[in-house]
Amino acid sequence: MSFNGPIEESFPTPADIDRSTVSHLQKGYKISARKLPISKSGTIDEMEKKLGIPVPEMIFGGNMVSIEHVTTGWRLEFNAYDALDRVDKTDRNMLKVAYSQEWSSSRFDGVPFSHDPANVLSREKTHEGIKEIVKPFDWSYTTDYKGTITGKPFELQKDNENPIPIELLKRPDPILFFEEVVLYESELDDNGISLFSCKLRVMPDRMLLLCRLFMRLDGVLIRIRDTRIYVDFNTGKVIRDYTEREDAFDKVKQALLSSGRLPNDLTIALRDPNQISHLVPEVSHTLESLTLP
């Protein structure tokens, strides 16, 4: 399902959307970003109904970034709804917090914890009742969302022969357009963070868009999922680089210590994916590309 923009409600109005959308035209490409306040209850209720899962505490349903090739109408967009629609809506990938064992032993109020068959059955029935009330889903809001495409699809590269030209991006070219947009954020019931955000920069001959999921479940796991979109305006070459990184929380913490970080700096570093991404092992990587006329 493609969402492509905010669900209708009294706010944001079309005028709000227009005022909040900024665009830049560069050699036949229109690069846009929209930043609106956190979604209101009407949008949230409708979004949850359509998604079938609760949304994060901070959901920016009207926000988006997009790249459009004006001549052909090809478009790549990132928005909150489509990102959350890629979250696992089953209990297959549910994570447990670091103290889940203690919580599991005490979560059934009024049901004594013992191995008596009657009590075990009572706990199981209570657990079944909870499952009926709260549909299980990946509450870490981990998504493999790589953007919503209109038009020509990407093709998987053979042997990753055309990676993003990092050296060209390191050149001191002037930045003509820059935006950073948050799509959603959750504090995971005070157990960490799950943040999906996009950052883009446009230079005279090329641009780079980075959309990143950063998920840290304290004491358990750290995940970083990056989608990089590189566009060469002169050749029409578009590259999509998708990388998944993941490791145990304690291993990343130890890697920070081994790299020379002082213990007092660990908390700050563990909150910043830019400081730890190189320490989190890569578990998956794909390169795709297409050429626009």
Side-chain angles (χ1 to χ4, degrees):
M1 175 187 287
S2 177
F3 178 54
N4 292 325
I7 293 173
E8 292 290 336
E9 67 168 330
S10 57
F11 181 84
T13 65
D16 294 322
I17 292 172
D18 288 341
R19 284 193 300 267
S20 302
T21 303
V22 291
S23 299
H24 177 82
L25 285 170
Q26 187 70 16
K27 294 188 176 182
Y29 291 81
K30 182 180 180 182
I31 301 99
S32 302
R34 183 166 63 236
K35 290 189 282 189
L36 284 162
I38 194 167
S39 295
K40 293 190 175 183
S41 59
T43 296
I44 291 172
D45 291 344
E46 189 171 349
M47 187 178 287
E48 289 183 339
K49 182 179 179 180
K50 290 186 175 182
L51 287 170
I53 59 173
V55 301
E57 306 97 90
M58 288 169 279
I59 177 74
F60 299 89
N63 287 6
M64 70 89 195
V65 296
S66 67
I67 305 168
E68 181 180 353
H69 187 243
V70 177
T71 302
T72 64
W74 181 88
R75 177 183 172 92
L76 175 64
E77 176 181 316
F78 287 83
N79 63 73
Y81 181 92
D82 288 350
L84 290 170
D85 204 26
R86 297 290 303 176
V87 170
D88 189 353
K89 299 172 186 177
T90 72
D91 59 359
R92 289 192 300 267
N93 296 307
M94 285 180 65
L95 296 171
K96 293 184 178 180
V97 296
Y99 51 82
S100 63
Q101 187 65 37
E102 298 175 34
W103 181 79
S104 296
S105 300
S106 61
R107 69 182 182 270
F108 304 122
D109 294 339
V111 181
F113 185 82
S114 74
H115 294 288
D116 179 82
N119 287 331
V120 170
L121 181 61
S122 178
R123 288 198 303 274
E124 289 178 350
K125 287 182 177 179
T126 305
H127 193 193
E128 288 173 2
I130 291 173
K131 279 190 173 182
E132 289 176 3
I133 296 171
V134 181
K135 180 182 177 181
F137 71 102
D138 180 7
W139 58 273
S140 75
Y141 294 106
T142 297
T143 179
D144 61 357
Y145 180 54
K146 295 183 283 186
T148 304
I149 299 173
T150 301
K152 187 177 182 179
F154 284 96
E155 293 184 2
L156 189 66
Q157 291 188 17
K158 295 179 180 179
D159 302 320
N160 296 339
E161 71 269 25
N162 287 310
I164 292 175
I166 302 300
E167 292 305 315
L168 289 179
L169 291 170
K170 289 181 179 179
R171 290 170 46 171
D173 295 330
I175 297 176
L176 307 177
F177 184 60
F178 175 86
E179 285 293 336
E180 188 168 3
V181 178
V182 174
L183 298 183
Y184 66 77
E185 182 176 353
S186 172
E187 294 181 350
L188 306 180
D189 292 330
D190 295 325
N191 290 293
I193 189 172
S194 183
L195 172 67
F196 197 98
S197 61
C198 300
K199 184 185 298 185
L200 64 86
R201 57 187 171 107
V202 179
M203 289 74 73
D205 295 319
R206 59 193 59 87
M207 70 162 290
L208 181 69
L209 166 63
L210 168 63
C211 290
R212 166 173 283 173
L213 169 84
F214 174 50
M215 196 286 295
R216 187 195 76 243
L217 185 56
D218 293 335
V220 180
L221 190 70
I222 289 177
R223 283 181 181 148
I224 299 174
R225 295 188 172 181
D226 288 340
T227 302
R228 290 178 171 85
I229 307 295
Y230 171 84
V231 182
D232 186 311
F233 298 131
N234 296 321
T235 66
K237 189 81 170 182
V238 184
I239 300 172
R240 180 164 67 179
D241 183 311
Y242 176 71
T243 306
E244 295 184 356
R245 296 180 179 275
E246 183 171 316
D247 207 357
F249 179 91
D250 288 341
K251 287 186 178 181
V252 179
K253 187 175 180 180
Q254 184 57 49
L256 279 169
L257 286 170
S258 300
S259 69
R261 288 277 184 174
L262 297 176
N264 292 340
D265 295 335
L266 291 184
T267 300
I268 295 174
L270 287 167
R271 292 175 177 171
D272 184 358
N274 294 318
Q275 296 191 43
I276 63 175
S277 61
H278 66 289
L279 300 174
V280 184
E282 182 182 293
V283 296
S284 178
H285 181 215
T286 59
L287 268 172
E288 302 166 287
S289 58
L290 60 86
T291 303
L292 297 168

